[in-house]
Amino acid sequence: MRPPERVRGVLFDCDGTLADTERCWDEAVYDVAGDVSLSEAARTELLGGTVADVVACLRRLGHPQEETELAGAYVEAVIARERESARPMPGAVDLLAAVEERYPVAVASNSPRCILDVALAAAGFAHLRRRSVAADDVPRGKPEPDLYEAAARLIGVSPRDCVAFEDSPVGVEAAKRAGCFVIGCTTDASVILDAHARIDTLADPRVREWIGCAHA
C-alpha cells in the first residue's frame, strides 16, 4: 500500500518517534517499581502504553501502593527524567522542518498532557504543543483511533489523507484504525509493527519521497 495520492497532513507520535523519551518512561518505571520485578515481556507490553497501563501492570505484579498515588508518583518520575534527558530522535528535526513547509502537522500522544508538554519542550518541539492531542484530551487512548482522529481534526483534514509516524504496536493500530497511512519507525527488530511501511530512522530518505517533500 502506498501513501494517499494527495497527502494533506502529517501526524506524529511523540515518545520514541519525535522525542527520544522511551528510556525516560522505562527508567521511571524502575524509579517507582520498588521490589516489583519487571520481565522483558512486561516491558514490551508497556511500550507505547498509557500511565494507567503502567500502573495496572505494576499493581498486577504486586506493587502495594494505591493506584492514584502510584500514578502520581510515576508521572512525576517521567517528567523529571524527561526534563533531564529528552532529546529529538535521529532525523526528527530535519524531517519535521521539511514536512512543515508543505503540510499541516499535529502530534497524537498516549501521554497525559502534563507529560506531553514537557517532552515536546525538552526535545525542542515546544511549538507543537498547540497542535497536539494528549491521552486526557480524548475518551480513549491508543490502540483506539480517538487520538489520531482528533489530531486530524485539529489540522482540518481527514485521517485518510494523513501519513502517521509511530514506533509502537498500539500506536500503529490506533493510526490504522483511524484510516491513516502508517509508517512504523523503530530500530528494535523485536518490535512487530503492522504498519504500511517500516523504517529504522526518520532520517531515511525514502520518507520524503513517500510524502512528497523530497526537495523541501
Side-chain angles (χ1 to χ4, degrees):
M1 181 175 180
R2 295 188 59 78
E5 214 169 281
R6 184 174 179 185
V7 177
R8 295 180 182 273
V10 179
L11 309 175
F12 289 92
D13 169 55
C14 180
D15 298 297
T17 302
L18 274 183
D20 187 0
T21 52
E22 289 292 356
R23 71 190 185 286
C24 300
W25 286 73
D26 279 348
E27 291 165 355
V29 170
Y30 289 103
D31 289 341
V32 301
D35 294 331
V36 173
S37 178
L38 280 171
S39 65
E40 190 61 35
R43 292 180 68 245
T44 300
E45 175 190 336
L46 294 177
L47 182 63
T50 63
V51 170
D53 293 331
V54 172
V55 170
C57 178
L58 290 175
R59 290 278 295 166
R60 189 170 65 249
L61 293 173
H63 198 290
Q65 198 167 10
E66 188 269 330
E67 287 185 11
T68 302
E69 291 182 358
L70 181 55
Y74 180 59
V75 166
E76 289 179 5
V78 173
I79 288 174
R81 292 284 186 177
E82 289 187 340
R83 283 178 173 154
E84 179 181 295
S85 59
R87 60 181 184 269
M89 291 293 287
V93 172
D94 289 343
L95 177 62
L96 184 63
V99 169
E100 287 185 309
E101 287 184 5
R102 298 199 55 157
Y103 307 112
V105 171
V107 173
S109 173
N110 235 8
S111 296
R113 174 60 59 185
C114 60
I115 292 179
L116 175 58
D117 284 355
V118 170
L120 290 172
F125 304 118
H127 69 289
L128 290 176
R129 285 185 292 186
R130 291 186 178 181
R131 285 180 279 141
S132 64
V133 184
D136 41 2
D137 294 330
V138 295
R140 304 172 299 176
K142 303 171 186 177
E144 301 299 331
D146 302 35
L147 280 160
Y148 278 100
E149 291 171 346
R153 284 196 301 272
L154 193 61
I155 57 175
V157 299
S158 166
R160 295 190 177 278
D161 295 326
C162 290
V163 172
F165 290 87
E166 266 288 353
D167 74 308
S168 71
V170 294
V172 168
E173 182 179 347
K176 286 181 70 176
R177 289 173 66 181
C180 303
F181 177 87
V182 187
I183 300 176
C185 182
T186 180
T187 57
D188 189 343
S190 70
V191 176
I192 298 173
L193 298 178
D194 186 25
H196 298 111
R198 179 167 176 154
I199 54 176
D200 292 334
T201 169
L202 295 178
D204 189 319
R206 293 175 298 171
V207 173
R208 298 193 188 199
E209 295 175 6
W210 288 338
I211 61 178
C213 57
H215 304 294

